[in-house]
Amino acid sequence: MSRTSGKIALLAGAVAWASVGTPVQAQAQEAASVAIEAPLEAVAVDEPVPTVDMKTAAAAARDARDRDAAADADGASSEDLAQLASMAYEVEDWAGARRLIDQAIALAPGQGSLYRLKAYIAAATGDNDGVLAAAAQALQADPHDAESLQLQATGRAKAGDVAGALDGYAAALAAGGHGANLFRNYLYLLDQQHDDARLLAVHAAYEAAYRDDPGGTGTHADIPFHAAQAHYRLGQPRQALARIEQAIALSPQVAGYYSSRAMALHALGQSSQSLADDGRAMQLAPKEPQYPYNRGVTRLALNDLDGALADFRASLALGKDDADTWLNIGATEDRRGRTREALAAYDRALALAPGDPKVTTNRLSLLRRQGKGDTAKAAAQAAALPAVNQAQLLFNQGLAQSQAGQWQAAAELYAQAVRLDPGLDIAWLNLGAAQARMGQQQRALDTFNDYIARVPHEPMALLNRATVLHALGDDAAAEQDLLRAVQLEPGNLDTQQRLANHYGQTGQVDKARRYYEQLVALPGNRAPDAFINYTALLLQEGANRQAAVVAAAGVERFPQDYGLRVNLANALGDSGQHARAEAAYRAAMRLQPKRLDAHYNLGNLYLQSLKQPAKAVQEYRTALQLQSDPDLDAAARAEQRMSVHLNLASALADTGDIRAARAALQVAMDEAPQDYRPWFNRAGLALSAGEAEAAVPDFQAAWTRLDARQQAQPPSAQADPDLLEHAGYLLFHLGRTGEAAIRMQQLLQAQPDNVEAQRNYGFMLLDLGRPQDARQLFEQAFTREPDEVDGWLGLLACAMLGNDTAHLARLKQQFAQRFDGRYRLDDELPTHLMQREGYWYSDRFLALWRQLLAAG
């Protein structure tokens, strides 16, 4: 029977942990840790006061001419005086302009256009009271004069009468006003008030006016900028991005526009592009503290803690010494594990903004995780928070439970959070994720369905639902969700990569390759994930040399990426370039000296390909002293360490140090007492040593744990192929061959090309007296792996049982030619394989083999 002793761990770490796929959960960071206060301040019109177009004003004055217009003592008409006033205005002779317009009004006090010109003159001299008085007199003559209504509205805005100003701009618009300054000032004021729905309605009116009269309406960059601000605040980053790009096209040197685009890109998950725009804003305005602050927020979301902290401190140095900056410094220090510094930062934030709920939420979250602080006082502080912040606090606790692998506790906390604040989107996403991690796929699907019914255009929800649908076997629906997410965010390369990954998982390799080829070829692809996962796909398909080419291209573009270095080494090792693979692993270790992945995979290379188990032992032992990927949750980190323990034991066994191998397995048992694999492998060591009876208790202990794990899975959960295979081995070793055969049959239904399972199932069927069925399995396996000696034993046994002497004679001749003396076809061949190469055969098969050879 195929190898089982000491071989359960997946020694060939081809993809290892460097090529991390996208997790089910939408991993949020600590609640208020990303504390952007909506968009940046408006980068708009310096003062919302339009300048006068004197040609227009003069024309308006001429319109007031009457055949019987009065004249002064020198014979000058009101029209003449208005024209002179306009000329004085143009040369900034304010006193002369004021004197002349007053003379014109004295001659024609009923002409509204003269008062309008007087209002312009007053505005030029900063006489806001004069603007309001003159505009009011102009409106007495013509209450629907759009220009005078606009002048009055601007005067009210400067006087602090926001409501009156907004009413005035609305009246001017209704009266037919359509000049750029009207829209600029109206939108500016609405932006300041965050009256977003009304702002977008006014912007739509601007677009209509511009279509009707482009020359008369005009374009200015701040008009689409204000619309972008409104879209961003309304949670519409895609629309915000389109508007801000219009603003940048019109005014490419305004720093604030790049910062606003960076925020929209960040919200869309395009963080690399976001960082580039933040950098551009900082170049254009190096003394503006908001821009390093915003870049720090993005870096914090990317878990670039050193970069984020440097940006927040730069913002402080430039003068942004406020609660939000200290809140983010605290969040950064918290994630760095520097509890004292985090608490000090939160305390500084509270000193600047006493009782700030965001800061209080983060501070309480930290104290609860650390088990510190006055419990009663903390409970009172939490109870005093607004409901939305209490929900954030519960979410933070749930996130901590998720990171510890406590999915049930996490789900309960997320559920409480959404009950308190149904608008806490990230809690809905993580609730569904936690349910999925517990195997409650249908409940997770219900959660995502409910959320998407309310928020149909949220790509992250569609991505997560796609993962659940895939787990439920509905790949067609999963694909539709992924395609919809790509449609919603056509520029989001991460979303496209998820679709490519889905095609790879579902066997649509050609589609996956096409997407990956596009992604790695894009010059704007600033994230290494496409290279990492494309390499992983190629390795899984056995295209090892192509995988090495793709990984090498990725390393050239992203030389500091650890995951790419590890996958390059994996590809080189799998394609037989062992010396280059070893060098690539060493290069990865220099990049991340505290990470265990490269050491683990190098140990696999030494153990499997180079047959140097002593060197493998050294790498595995080093790996156990190092850290897992910090983005993995507790369960995944524990799984990594178990893999290292199991492979260390295998390597020690291969060096002949069985005692040390057993000790390594004991350490694994102590770390994870409910994991069946160390018990299984220790039983395998006993079998290899010829201690069959000593193996039985460990096999029984392994079965007890494996069975408990299977029983804990919900009935709706899909069977894990690895668990089916291992259950089959365990039951076979325990003499429960019929049950073992059922497991192997189920496994082959899920994995019809699993060659090792075909051979092992064949041996089980031989023990059950079904040689014809067994022969079919051995022949299927043989066509795929004709050099596997284990399969030859099965074929020979079936031929001898079938009394097919001619076929048997050919098989014996072919056996001798293929193995050329390496193996002898005698009674002791199965025993030799068991003692020397880690195979195992049942007593029933050993007896059958001897009988068949004796008879033949």
Side-chain angles (χ1 to χ4, degrees), residues 521-555:
L522 285 173
N525 185 357
R526 300 185 181 95
D529 294 0
F531 289 92
I532 293 174
N533 283 351
Y534 190 23
T535 304
L537 175 71
L538 293 169
L539 286 169
Q540 290 166 358
E541 293 298 308
N544 300 323
R545 289 192 174 274
Q546 187 180 355
V549 171
V550 171
V555 167

Side-chain angles (χ1 to χ4, degrees), residues 1-2 748 755-767 770-786 788-799 801 807 811 841 845 848:
M1 184 178 184
S2 296
L748 286 170
V755 182
E756 188 169 315
Q758 288 173 343
R759 287 194 296 267
N760 287 344
Y761 187 26
F763 282 109
M764 293 176 190
L765 293 177
L766 279 178
D767 277 9
R770 296 167 55 187
Q772 293 302 319
D773 294 334
R775 176 175 177 172
Q776 183 179 358
L777 288 162
F778 287 127
E779 288 176 345
Q780 289 174 1
F782 179 79
T783 59
R784 294 186 177 91
E785 292 186 357
E788 179 61 58
V789 66
D790 189 48
W792 279 91
L793 260 66
L795 281 173
L796 288 163
C798 289
L801 283 169
H807 181 54
L811 285 176
Y841 302 97
F845 177 77
L848 174 66

Side-chain angles (χ1 to χ4, degrees), residues 238 268 456-464 481 485 488-489 492 495:
R238 198 173 308 101
L268 289 169
H457 304 302
E458 171 50 57
M460 181 58 74
L462 293 166
L463 295 175
N464 279 10
D481 273 355
L488 287 171
E489 294 184 344
N492 191 329
T495 305

Side-chain angles (χ1 to χ4, degrees), residues 20-26 459-468 470 478-479 481-483 485-486 492-506 512 515-516 519 529-530 533:
V20 179
T22 313
V24 174
Q25 63 268 36
M460 181 58 74
L462 293 166
L463 295 175
N464 279 10
R465 186 170 71 175
T467 303
V468 172
H470 173 66
E479 182 178 349
D481 273 355
L482 290 165
L483 289 169
V486 169
N492 191 329
L493 303 184
D494 293 337
T495 305
Q496 294 178 39
Q497 182 182 264
R498 285 286 294 271
L499 179 58
N501 191 43
H502 170 80
Y503 286 137
Q505 287 179 330
T506 56
Y515 265 92
Y516 280 130
L519 288 167
D529 294 0
N533 283 351

Side-chain angles (χ1 to χ4, degrees), residues 190-409:
L190 290 168
D191 195 357
Q192 295 293 96
Q193 298 301 306
H194 291 189
D195 190 347
D196 296 321
R198 190 173 174 186
L199 190 158
L200 292 178
V202 172
H203 185 264
Y206 161 77
E207 290 186 315
Y210 182 79
R211 285 193 299 270
D212 292 342
D213 183 11
T217 301
T219 57
H220 288 272
D222 54 309
I223 291 176
F225 170 79
H226 293 310
Q229 298 286 79
H231 282 303
Y232 185 88
R233 285 190 293 264
L234 290 170
Q236 301 165 349
R238 198 173 308 101
Q239 293 92 322
L241 180 61
R243 296 301 183 197
I244 202 65
E245 286 183 340
Q246 292 174 6
I248 289 173
L250 291 167
S251 294
Q253 298 302 312
V254 179
Y257 293 170
Y258 290 96
S259 187
S260 289
R261 186 168 73 176
M263 293 166 63
L265 289 166
H266 175 73
L268 289 169
Q270 299 178 46
S271 299
S272 297
Q273 296 95 314
S274 174
L275 289 174
D277 271 352
D278 280 325
R280 178 65 174 149
M282 292 166 69
Q283 288 176 346
L284 290 169
K287 294 184 179 180
E288 170 54 55
Q290 187 73 38
Y291 303 150
Y293 171 86
N294 280 8
R295 189 173 72 175
V297 168
T298 301
R299 283 178 160 173
L300 182 57
L302 291 171
N303 218 34
D304 176 7
L305 302 180
D306 292 341
L309 191 59
D311 278 340
F312 293 137
R313 294 203 176 281
S315 182
L316 270 180
L318 289 170
K320 196 175 185 301
D321 184 10
D322 60 14
D324 282 337
T325 304
W326 284 104
L327 167 62
N328 280 286
I329 290 174
T332 308
E333 296 284 26
D334 187 357
R335 284 198 226 162
R336 285 158 57 97
R338 294 158 56 96
T339 304
R340 182 182 301 175
E341 290 80 357
L343 285 172
Y346 290 146
D347 288 341
R348 171 67 177 159
L350 287 172
L352 292 167
D356 184 288
K358 294 178 295 185
V359 184
T360 303
T361 299
N362 269 24
R363 193 176 189 280
L364 287 173
S365 294
L366 173 58
L367 291 173
R368 286 187 177 181
R369 286 200 318 275
Q370 298 294 320
K372 297 178 180 178
D374 184 329
T375 305
K377 181 180 178 182
Q381 288 178 320
L385 288 169
V388 292
N389 295 98
Q390 291 186 40
Q392 287 280 189
L393 187 57
L394 289 164
F395 171 79
N396 284 2
Q397 293 173 259
L399 190 62
Q401 294 290 346
S402 292
Q403 291 166 343
Q406 302 298 317
W407 298 106
Q408 182 62 51

